């Protein structure tokens, strides 16, 4: 898949607002017209132009929890990746969620929400009393021996299973990573994974890891293959 930026109006000015070097490489915040973009190691990750798939990541997990015979009251959710804030803001706007943890390893992204222009998109969600922000690497957090369990894991890490900008993120989607995710779910819990493209291979990997009810929701985009949300459940 190409790492080119999405097609935009050629007349829109592009302004670099911040550029930082961190343990995982360079992270850049840019403004293109009225939208903002996050670039990691020279590759486009996400922007604020369309948050449908990021919101679906949260809604689909909650809907799947509701499909059980005894829906969980005030379920807990872990969101992997703060990004531009669409997923977190959508979760906070839903009063049914209980504990909400958000894992983000890039201090720059957290700062752009607390003190920069991305705060308009997370819409004060970091201040919600249910929210706990964890400034750490997701895989390291998940692998901790005393790790908490959640009713839902909603992951928007890199560009999904088949195309990772940071090599270390690929481990999240392999057999070892999926085993850790399975352990971090409550029995009957739901795993939701955002991806920039459908992946039949990832669906099979989920089944091989012991997940059931594997389905994929597609979100059409203006150009190219659709964004998707992969859903799976840990048996109760």
């Amino acid at each position: 898949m190409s790492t080119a930026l999405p097609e935009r109006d050629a007349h829109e000015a592009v302004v670099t607002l911040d550029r930082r070097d961190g343990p995982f490489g360079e992270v850049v915040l840019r403004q293109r017209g009225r939208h903002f973009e996050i670039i990691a190691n020279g590759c486009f990750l996400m922007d604020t132009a369309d948050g449908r798939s990021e919101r679906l990541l949260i809604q689909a997990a909650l809907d799947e929890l509701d499909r059980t015979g005894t829906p969980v009251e005030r379920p807990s959710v872990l969101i992997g990746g703060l990004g531009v804030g669409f997923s977190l803001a959508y979760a906070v706007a839903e009063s049914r969620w209980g504990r909400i943890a958000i894992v983000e390893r890039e201090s720059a992204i957290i700062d752009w929400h607390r003190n920069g222009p991305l705060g308009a998109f997370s819409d004060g969600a970091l201040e919600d009393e249910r929210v706990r922000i964890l400034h750490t690497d997701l895989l390291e957090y998940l692998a901790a021996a005393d790790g908490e369990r959640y009713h839902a894991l909603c992951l928007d890490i890199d560009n999904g299973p088949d195309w990772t900008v940071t090599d270390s993120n690929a481990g999240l989607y392999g057999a070892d990573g999926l085993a850790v995710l399975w352990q971090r779910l409550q029995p009957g819990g739901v795993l939701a994974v955002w991806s920039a493209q459908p992946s039949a291979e990832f669906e099979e990997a989920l089944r091989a890891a012991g997940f059931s009810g594997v389905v994929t929701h597609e979100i059409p985009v203006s150009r190219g293959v659709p964004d998707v949300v992969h859903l799976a459940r840990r048996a109760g």
Side-chain angles (χ1 to χ4, degrees), residues 84-104:
V84 297
F86 287 136
S87 294
L88 177 61
Y90 195 77
V92 166
E94 174 53 72
S95 61
R96 285 184 291 169
W97 288 114
R99 180 166 49 99
I100 302 171
I102 176 82
V103 177
E104 176 56 59

Side-chain angles (χ1 to χ4, degrees), residues 64-200:
E64 185 64 22
L65 286 172
D66 286 345
R67 283 166 50 87
T68 63
T70 54
V72 178
E73 183 177 354
R74 305 282 289 172
S76 58
V77 58
L78 171 71
I79 302 172
L82 176 55
V84 297
F86 287 136
S87 294
L88 177 61
Y90 195 77
V92 166
E94 174 53 72
S95 61
R96 285 184 291 169
W97 288 114
R99 180 166 49 99
I100 302 171
I102 176 82
V103 177
E104 176 56 59
R105 71 183 188 178
E106 296 288 353
S107 59
I109 292 178
I110 297 172
D111 190 39
W112 295 335
H113 281 275
R114 284 183 168 156
N115 305 301
L118 296 185
F121 301 93
S122 51
D123 195 24
L126 293 179
E127 308 307 318
D128 189 280
E129 63 182 9
R130 294 169 294 167
V131 172
R132 177 187 176 200
I133 188 159
L134 304 168
H135 179 206
T136 185
D137 179 75
L138 179 63
L139 275 173
E140 291 181 6
Y141 172 73
L142 292 172
D146 58 348
E148 302 173 73
R149 286 186 175 182
Y150 296 86
H151 295 102
L153 301 175
C154 297
L155 309 184
D156 184 357
I157 300 297
D158 219 307
N159 284 309
D162 291 346
W163 180 39
T164 53
V165 173
T166 304
D167 290 342
S168 60
N169 286 333
L172 180 66
Y173 303 113
D176 291 344
L178 291 178
V180 172
L181 294 172
W182 192 90
Q183 289 289 343
R184 282 304 197 101
L185 280 171
Q186 296 280 4
V190 173
L191 173 65
V193 176
W194 183 94
S195 178
Q197 60 184 7
S199 176

